[in-house]
């Protein structure tokens, strides 16, 4: 089957900064792929090029074989902060995203309600963003980006600002939605365990210029429950990814590394 998303030789420059160089990556339909890598390696830049919010300097992105020319309703985007409109209720924020859809007022209300229910916010339809916790605001943001039924969901550290418990709830919520709705997801995170827990494949990027260093298939059974985090295989995968990232973040000093012959000293663990 043809890939859902094809990233072909994408490069991006900001003046003298080569943010991305020669990125080639395919996302299969219904695949959940995480992007990890040190700060500044170009994760957000790549995600926003796929979203159509930025243009690549070279190369192209295809969705269902068609070049991305700008943002589109085939791709929902969720950022680290919810960016809700403060003067609209939860329901109002989701309905606002549906403006321009060919549906009447009553249907728009209904679709917004259904999507708030999907993210567990039944009963909070009339709450204002300021009355909602960070996790609940992020649920509204998720409902907002799912309500027009995109087949692709692009998420840039969507749970990065949440506390650990809320983050786990959100990971389970997202996994559940993905398992039932079979979306193609590209998920940027700094949290390796989060990436292993939710992904089919984790792609490691390296900085200066941003490139894809490696990719790892996460062959853990689904559905995944929190208990999987005590599975030795889970830790094997997380450790090997972390080693890959640490190696590349130290690769600015190759001589030093080859001198010690031990790029994986445990002193940088944790
Ligand atoms: N609009 C911009 N103008 C100039 N430089 C930019 C711009 N956006 C990103 N960059 C540069 O491109 C590189 C990649 O940035 P990007 O934000 O994509 O990294 P990232 O992997 O998302 O980092 P983080 O993990 O900190 O979010 C960095 O060197 C950054 O400074
Ligand atoms: Mg970023």
């Amino acid at each position: 089957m043809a890939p859902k998303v094809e990233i072909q030789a994408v490069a991006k420059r900001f003046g003298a900064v080569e943010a991305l160089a020669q990125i080639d990556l395919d996302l299969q339909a219904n695949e959940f792929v995480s992007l990890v890598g040190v700060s500044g390696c170009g994760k957000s830049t790549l995600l926003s090029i796929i979203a159509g919010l930025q243009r690549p300097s070279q190369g192209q992105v295809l969705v269902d074989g068609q070049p991305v020319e700008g943002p589109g309703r085939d791709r929902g985007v969720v950022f680290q902060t919810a960016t809700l409109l403060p003067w609209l209720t939860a329901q109002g924020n989701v309905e606002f995203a549906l403006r321009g859809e060919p549906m009447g007022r009553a249907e728009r209300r209904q679709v917004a309600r259904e999507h708030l229910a999907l993210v567990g916010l039944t009963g909070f339809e009339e709450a204002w963003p300021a009355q909602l916790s960070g996790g609940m605001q992020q649920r509204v943001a998720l409902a907002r980006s799912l309500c027009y039924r995109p087949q692709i969901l692009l998420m840039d550290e969507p749970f990065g600002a949440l506390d650990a418990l809320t983050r786990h709830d959100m990971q389970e919520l997202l996994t559940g939605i993905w398992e039932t709705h079979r979306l193609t997801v590209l998920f940027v995170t700094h949290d390796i365990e989060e990436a292993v827990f939710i992904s089919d494949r984790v792609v490691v990027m390296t900085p200066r210029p941003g490139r894809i260093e490696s990719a790892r298939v996460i062959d853990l059974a689904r559905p995944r429950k929190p208990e999987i985090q005590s599975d030795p295989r889970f830790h094997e995968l997380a450790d090997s990814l972390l080693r890959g990232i640490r190696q590349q973040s130290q690769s600015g000093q190759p001589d030093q590394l080859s001198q010690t012959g031990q790029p994986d000293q445990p002193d940088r663990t944790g």
Side-chain angles (χ1 to χ4, degrees), residues 14 17 19 37-46 54 156-157 188 190:
F14 296 104
V17 177
V38 295
S39 187
C41 70
K43 304 179 295 293
S44 297
T45 303
L46 182 58
Q54 293 193 57
D156 194 352
E157 300 193 49
V188 170
H190 271 120

Side-chain angles (χ1 to χ4, degrees), residues 114-125:
E114 281 168 16
H115 284 84
L116 285 170
L118 179 70
V119 298
L121 284 183
T122 297
F124 292 92
E125 293 86 352

Side-chain angles (χ1 to χ4, degrees), residues 11-20 56-58:
K12 179 73 178 177
R13 263 187 178 284
F14 296 104
V17 177
E18 199 177 359
L20 296 173
S57 309
Q58 281 167 43

Side-chain angles (χ1 to χ4, degrees), residues 2-71:
K4 186 76 185 165
V5 179
E6 295 166 78
I7 300 159
Q8 299 179 333
V10 162
K12 179 73 178 177
R13 263 187 178 284
F14 296 104
V17 177
E18 199 177 359
L20 296 173
Q22 191 70 26
I23 303 285
D24 288 290
L25 178 69
D26 287 348
L27 309 184
Q28 302 304 322
N30 309 328
E31 192 181 19
F32 198 124
V33 177
S34 286
L35 270 187
V36 299
V38 295
S39 187
C41 70
K43 304 179 295 293
S44 297
T45 303
L46 182 58
L47 187 125
S48 78
I49 288 172
I50 301 167
L53 299 169
Q54 293 193 57
R55 308 279 305 172
S57 309
Q58 281 167 43
Q60 62 173 357
V61 176
L62 305 180
V63 171
D64 291 323
Q66 298 300 311
V68 165
E69 308 280 1

Side-chain angles (χ1 to χ4, degrees), residues 181-270:
H181 292 252
R182 305 307 296 176
L183 297 151
T184 302
V185 182
L186 186 66
F187 186 92
V188 170
T189 180
H190 271 120
D191 183 336
I192 304 297
E193 302 204 335
E194 177 171 79
V196 173
F197 181 69
I198 54 182
S199 309
D200 294 321
R201 189 156 51 112
V202 178
V203 172
V204 178
M205 289 181 66
T206 97
R208 288 178 295 277
R211 288 181 197 277
I212 290 176
E213 211 268 334
S214 57
R216 196 78 213 235
V217 171
I218 307 301
D219 49 4
L220 298 168
R222 292 192 185 269
R224 295 188 189 150
K225 295 285 158 209
E227 300 76 65
I228 203 160
Q229 306 202 17
S230 46
D231 185 326
R233 180 77 190 134
F234 180 92
H235 290 284
E236 245 172 68
L237 287 161
D239 288 348
S240 103
L241 282 162
L242 196 58
R243 272 201 301 278
I245 293 172
R246 285 210 327 250
Q247 241 157 28
Q248 42 129 322
S249 70
Q250 294 171 340
S251 64
Q253 316 118 29
D255 292 336
Q256 220 174 315
L257 292 178
S258 56
Q259 269 166 19
T260 65
Q262 286 179 307
D264 294 321
Q265 295 280 343
D267 59 325
R268 296 192 49 169
T269 314

